[in-house]
mmCIF file of all heavy atoms in Angstrom:
data_model
loop_
_atom_site.group_PDB
_atom_site.id
_atom_site.type_symbol
_atom_site.label_atom_id
_atom_site.label_comp_id
_atom_site.label_asym_id
_atom_site.label_seq_id
_atom_site.Cartn_x
_atom_site.Cartn_y
_atom_site.Cartn_z
ATOM 1 N N HIS A 261 14.566 6.369 -4.308
ATOM 2 C CA HIS A 261 14.045 7.113 -5.408
ATOM 3 C C HIS A 261 12.606 6.696 -5.786
ATOM 4 O O HIS A 261 11.779 7.523 -6.157
ATOM 5 C CB HIS A 261 14.989 6.902 -6.590
ATOM 6 C CG HIS A 261 14.535 7.500 -7.852
ATOM 7 N ND1 HIS A 261 14.650 8.833 -8.113
ATOM 8 C CD2 HIS A 261 13.970 6.994 -8.950
ATOM 9 C CE1 HIS A 261 14.170 9.127 -9.295
ATOM 10 N NE2 HIS A 261 13.734 7.969 -9.837
ATOM 11 N N HIS A 265 8.977 8.869 -5.709
ATOM 12 C CA HIS A 265 7.963 9.017 -6.765
ATOM 13 C C HIS A 265 6.557 8.811 -6.149
ATOM 14 O O HIS A 265 5.625 9.533 -6.503
ATOM 15 C CB HIS A 265 8.197 7.966 -7.863
ATOM 16 C CG HIS A 265 9.094 8.416 -8.969
ATOM 17 N ND1 HIS A 265 8.838 9.537 -9.722
ATOM 18 C CD2 HIS A 265 10.210 7.893 -9.436
ATOM 19 C CE1 HIS A 265 9.791 9.649 -10.627
ATOM 20 N NE2 HIS A 265 10.655 8.680 -10.463
ATOM 21 N N SER A 295 7.980 4.308 -14.999
ATOM 22 C CA SER A 295 8.989 5.314 -15.336
ATOM 23 C C SER A 295 9.910 4.744 -16.427
ATOM 24 O O SER A 295 9.660 3.682 -16.996
ATOM 25 C CB SER A 295 9.768 5.655 -14.095
ATOM 26 O OG SER A 295 10.553 4.583 -13.705
ATOM 27 N N ASP A 459 11.748 12.896 -12.861
ATOM 28 C CA ASP A 459 12.695 13.056 -11.751
ATOM 29 C C ASP A 459 12.973 14.526 -11.454
ATOM 30 O O ASP A 459 13.137 15.332 -12.346
ATOM 31 C CB ASP A 459 14.001 12.353 -12.079
ATOM 32 C CG ASP A 459 13.774 10.884 -12.271
ATOM 33 O OD1 ASP A 459 12.754 10.368 -11.791
ATOM 34 O OD2 ASP A 459 14.653 10.229 -12.903
HETATM 35 MG MG1 MG B 649 12.501 8.121 -11.999
#
Side-chain angles (χ1 to χ4, degrees):
H261 175 77
H265 271 301
S295 70
D459 298 340

